[in-house]
Amino acid sequence: LLIVLVLALCVLLPGGVRSMGWAQCALAIVVLLGLIIPLIIVSLKLTNLPLAQMTYGSLIDEISNFQGLSGDRLSSDKGEVEITQWAGLLKNEVQALSIPFIGGERALTGFEKVFMMIVIAFGVAAMPSVLLRSTVTLTVFQARKSFAWAVALVGLIVLSIPACAIFLQYMIFNPEAKFLVGDLPDWIEQLEALGLLSAKDINNDGQIVGSEFLFSRDVGLLGLPVVAGLNGTMQSLSFAALMAAAMASFVGRLMTLSKLLSRDLHFQKSEMEADVVGLSNLLWTRLMIVLVTLSLL
């Protein structure tokens, strides 16, 4: 945490919003590479096509036919076992996948899915920490261009995340994926060591199937390259992507909060209307950045 705070201060104090924008551009490149490259490789392995955002839909019908997808009950010689009870013993660190990814009261139509993605992309792009980058543009056209890029990048990420979830569920809940208790694959041990997954032979039949796994919320992105058997470089790239996304989000929110506080505590009404930025205003803004950052320790 201390290292992250120091990095955030090094980004924001010298150049404010402009330096934040350049840093976030670099972090966004890392996020896209870490998200898209593993997805392309996994998509090629499962669908023979590289466009994961367009191909994961072909696996949904197969996943819906997999038995035990919900993972809430298992048959055994002693009757049915409640997996959710075991999840409670682990203090919610990992839990059963009790609601399927494609579950719900009814299936969404194609138009509803596309419209939902658009709403999410515009909603995220309109967040104050994202809109803050548009305030340093010189013209209205540049501001609109900045917002359009934000919508495009967020839209790509929003379209890619469901592909991660579907591919992961397809590999784990496939009925053919049965693992002997004494011969578990390496990816189970890796994810357990990271606290992202827990596997236990609940019905004591000598093997573990997908419905006997408990998952952490972060396993969808971090677990995909591990379960797919990708090399350590791809796994590290996925981890770097999540760290970069967290850093970009943290820097944006830190700058937004600091700017709002500096306006509330120091800026006068006349200065806000004229948009005058003097030396004292810059000092106050930098002081708020330091104070907000120190408050997180």
Side-chain angles (χ1 to χ4, degrees), residues 248-268:
S249 176
F250 172 71
V251 169
R253 282 158 176 75
L254 180 60
M255 188 67 211
T256 302
L257 182 58
S258 302
K259 188 174 181 180
L260 291 175
L261 287 175
S262 64
R263 282 189 175 274
D264 291 341
L265 298 178
H266 177 68
F267 279 24
Q268 301 297 320

Side-chain angles (χ1 to χ4, degrees), residues 123 130 143 145 151 168 178 185 187 222 239 249 259:
V130 178
K145 185 178 179 181
V151 172
L168 188 68
K178 298 180 180 180
W187 62 264
L222 295 177
F239 277 79
S249 176
K259 188 174 181 180

Side-chain angles (χ1 to χ4, degrees), residues 174-197:
N174 193 319
E176 299 179 358
K178 298 180 180 180
F179 314 106
L180 298 179
V181 174
D183 188 24
L184 296 178
D186 293 338
W187 62 264
I188 293 181
E189 298 179 359
Q190 293 181 37
L191 293 181
E192 283 186 328
L194 294 172
L196 300 176
L197 177 144

Side-chain angles (χ1 to χ4, degrees), residues 30-49:
V30 177
V31 172
L32 291 177
L33 291 177
L35 179 63
I36 300 301
I37 293 179
L39 265 182
I40 292 176
I41 298 175
V42 176
S43 180
L44 286 171
K45 292 179 62 175
L46 298 181
T47 67
N48 296 321
L49 293 173

Side-chain angles (χ1 to χ4, degrees), residues 36-289:
I36 300 301
I37 293 179
L39 265 182
I40 292 176
I41 298 175
V42 176
S43 180
L44 286 171
K45 292 179 62 175
L46 298 181
T47 67
N48 296 321
L49 293 173
L51 297 177
Q53 298 81 2
M54 305 293 292
T55 60
Y56 73 85
S58 62
L59 303 178
I60 292 180
D61 289 338
E62 294 185 57
I63 293 178
S64 63
N65 294 328
F66 291 167
Q67 297 296 321
L69 175 62
S70 62
D72 53 354
R73 288 181 181 272
L74 285 173
S75 298
S76 67
D77 297 336
K78 301 178 181 179
E80 290 186 334
V81 181
E82 287 281 357
I83 296 181
T84 51
Q85 293 180 357
W86 185 46
L89 297 177
L90 297 175
K91 300 179 180 180
N92 296 324
E93 293 179 1
V94 290
Q95 55 188 322
L97 187 63
S98 57
I99 301 177
F101 175 79
I102 55 176
E105 296 181 359
R106 64 177 180 84
L108 297 177
T109 65
F111 173 77
E112 289 172 335
K113 291 179 181 178
V114 173
F115 192 74
M116 180 178 64
M117 295 294 182
I118 294 175
V119 169
I120 294 175
F122 272 88
V124 175
M127 293 172 61
S129 56
V130 178
L131 285 179
L132 191 64
R133 296 181 65 239
S134 300
T135 61
V136 298
T137 56
L138 300 179
T139 64
V140 175
F141 172 76
Q142 291 179 352
R144 291 173 177 171
K145 185 178 179 181
S146 174
F147 181 76
W149 273 107
V151 172
L153 294 177
V154 172
L156 179 59
I157 294 175
V158 170
L159 288 173
S160 300
I161 290 177
C164 292
I166 287 296
F167 288 158
L168 188 68
Q169 289 198 27
Y170 180 82
M171 291 184 290
I172 291 180
F173 289 98
N174 193 319
E176 299 179 358
K178 298 180 180 180
F179 314 106
L180 298 179
V181 174
D183 188 24
L184 296 178
D186 293 338
W187 62 264
I188 293 181
E189 298 179 359
Q190 293 181 37
L191 293 181
E192 283 186 328
L194 294 172
L196 300 176
L197 177 144
S198 184
K200 185 177 181 181
D201 185 14
I202 300 177
N203 55 2
N204 298 318
D205 61 351
Q207 62 183 10
I208 296 178
V209 296
S211 54
E212 292 176 291
F213 288 110
L214 302 182
F215 302 93
S216 169
R217 295 167 58 184
D218 297 329
V219 74
L221 294 176
L222 295 177
L224 181 65
V226 179
V227 176
L230 303 185
N231 59 34
T233 301
M234 292 296 101
Q235 296 176 23
S236 299
L237 188 61
S238 296
F239 277 79
L242 286 183
M243 291 297 296
M247 185 66 184
S249 176
F250 172 71
V251 169
R253 282 158 176 75
L254 180 60
M255 188 67 211
T256 302
L257 182 58
S258 302
K259 188 174 181 180
L260 291 175
L261 287 175
S262 64
R263 282 189 175 274
D264 291 341
L265 298 178
H266 177 68
F267 279 24
Q268 301 297 320
K269 183 177 179 181
S270 59
E271 293 176 334
M272 293 178 62
E273 292 177 349
D275 199 20
V276 175
V277 180
L279 180 59
S280 62
N281 297 335
L282 290 176
L283 293 177
W284 265 87
T285 302
R286 285 171 173 150
L287 176 61
M288 290 300 104
I289 292 174

